Amino acid sequence: MWISFFKLRLFCCLLAVLMVVVLVISVAQVEYLDHETVSATFIDSSGQFVSSQVTGISRNPYCGYEHQTLSSRERMEEDSLLAALQWQVPDVGPVPFLKSTDPSSSYFVILNSAAFFKVGSQLEVLVHVQDFQRKPKKYGGDYLQARIHSPKLQAGAVGRVVDYQNGFYKVFFTLLWPGKVKVSISLVHPMEGIRVLQHLQEEKPHRVYFKSLFRSGRISETTECNVCLPGSLPLCNFTDLYTGEPWFCFKPKKLPCSSRINHFKGGYLKGLLTAAENAFFQSGVNIKMPINSSGPDWVTVIPRRIKETNDLELSQGSGTFPSGYYYKDQWRPRKFKMRQFNDPDNITECLQRKVVYLFGDSTIRQWFEYLTTFVPDLVEFNLGSPKNVGPFLAVDQKHNILLKYRCHGPPIRFTTVFSNELHYVANELNGIVGGKNTVVAIAIWSHFSTFPLEVYIRRLRNIRRAVVQLLDRSPKTIVVIRTANAQELGPEVSLFNSDWYNFQLDTILRKMFSGVGVYLVDAWEMTLAHYLPHKLHPDEVIVKNQLDMFLSFVCPLET
């Protein structure tokens, strides 16, 4: 009897174990079918089909910018871009603050100030940098910005800086208007600060962190998200299946990954620098500080004769630098005649029967805001979208104009974006039919400044592929790219959104879209050349000039 009872107990135990095993397998299958785990064949950024088990609950964080499948041409392009952006920072070991670049003791000299200048002539300026002990520096690597300007004429243009790696820099300007022209040189960051920024870019891309809210019923959890997450905690994989753009969140403890409802900026990491490194980022000392002239800081320029002016205009090639200049507060591109859209009716006439798509960050959202404010017939339709986030829509029914704005996909530092509104620009472009009445404008740069450059290159590669496909199927579509722009900098902002970071992004964007068949609004030069202080969101007069240039591409002057 006891033997039979023992056998019965053994059988029940085995049955219970079997039921537990079956239950675990069933739960695993459900989890497998949930959004957090996707087994699929997707198109990688290389455009090749890659069979991959994309697992949301992963013990090994996947950094998309380190594990890309690139074609030989894409690899060659990326290597070429990274090589071109190698900043010449000398290997001089640790440098104390007193031996770092001091803008107040540095100076510049106009080399040919006694020469006879005409409009179109070249002006050369030599900059010599010194440290805080007023000793000449023997190496380069500083980041300088330079411009010429005539305040009374509201005129300005940028210069090209050449680093001779010995403490001397030469700046080349093209004199583009007559009158008294003043030279201004600024130290944005000393070389010693650039080294710190390089280290942050390569080693701490997570210094801006993001979060998502997960909710199901009364249960809600918030976890951190990013392109790449450190550690070995389980992850939710939100990598886009069409573009291969990576995005991950730490998996909630109680909720499935499919319960994500939004995305928002978590914040900025603090305490990134040592006390010695902090000394290289001081407002009023070595961030965007002027370098004075040791002699005259201005020259007088006389007009050219009419024939010489025509010859000058004809000689300007595709590589024209600078691309334009301000005169009487109006931007004048050097390669084509830009129209002035000073009346709302001019804009309405230009955009009549057109659909205009604006994709990107808040700097192109400014275009939407300007147009809907300046053109009374263009009425914004309330979609109930969060303020400053979108998507936004405006309609002019009388003239059949449709204007749309949508932000780009993560990383994006907006307050709160609903998960179902996180759309990648490349995917949006693939859904556009295109044609002569379709206009697309894209600005994507500011939210990528904290990441390794490979992240930005990958994003632009996907967008460029979609643009090429759009122009192939609808060649008459107008596609305009707005470049990056300079902004105000302080000790903290410099670590996340320095002009030095954005200068790199701007260079990559120009190179990658060269020869693609798109138009470029040079916001970089348009902010540097203007007399107003630099801002992430430029003042209205600059935005107005950007829109005039954009609309001139859409509705060019008939010649």
Side-chain angles (χ1 to χ4, degrees), residues 125-127 140-142 144 146 159-172:
V125 174
L126 185 68
V127 183
D142 303 301
L144 308 179
R160 187 190 302 276
V161 180
V162 177
D163 184 352
Y164 287 100
Q165 295 297 310
N166 58 3
F168 287 92
Y169 300 79
K170 189 174 281 189
V171 186
F172 298 88

Side-chain angles (χ1 to χ4, degrees), residues 113-163:
S113 59
F116 187 72
F117 292 105
K118 290 183 178 181
V119 171
S121 299
Q122 291 293 306
L123 179 67
E124 296 182 11
V125 174
L126 185 68
V127 183
H128 190 197
V129 296
Q130 299 186 139
D131 62 24
F132 284 89
Q133 296 174 326
R134 295 193 171 276
K135 294 180 180 179
K137 295 192 69 175
K138 304 298 183 182
Y139 52 84
D142 303 301
Y143 178 37
L144 308 179
Q145 289 175 349
R147 72 183 182 107
I148 50 175
H149 54 108
S150 298
K152 290 184 178 180
L153 296 173
Q154 295 180 308
V158 301
R160 187 190 302 276
V161 180
V162 177
D163 184 352

Side-chain angles (χ1 to χ4, degrees), residues 176-193:
L176 295 166
W177 63 88
K180 183 178 178 179
V181 178
K182 181 179 171 63
V183 175
S184 292
I185 312 289
S186 297
L187 173 75
V188 182
H189 296 299
M191 181 283 295
E192 296 76 15

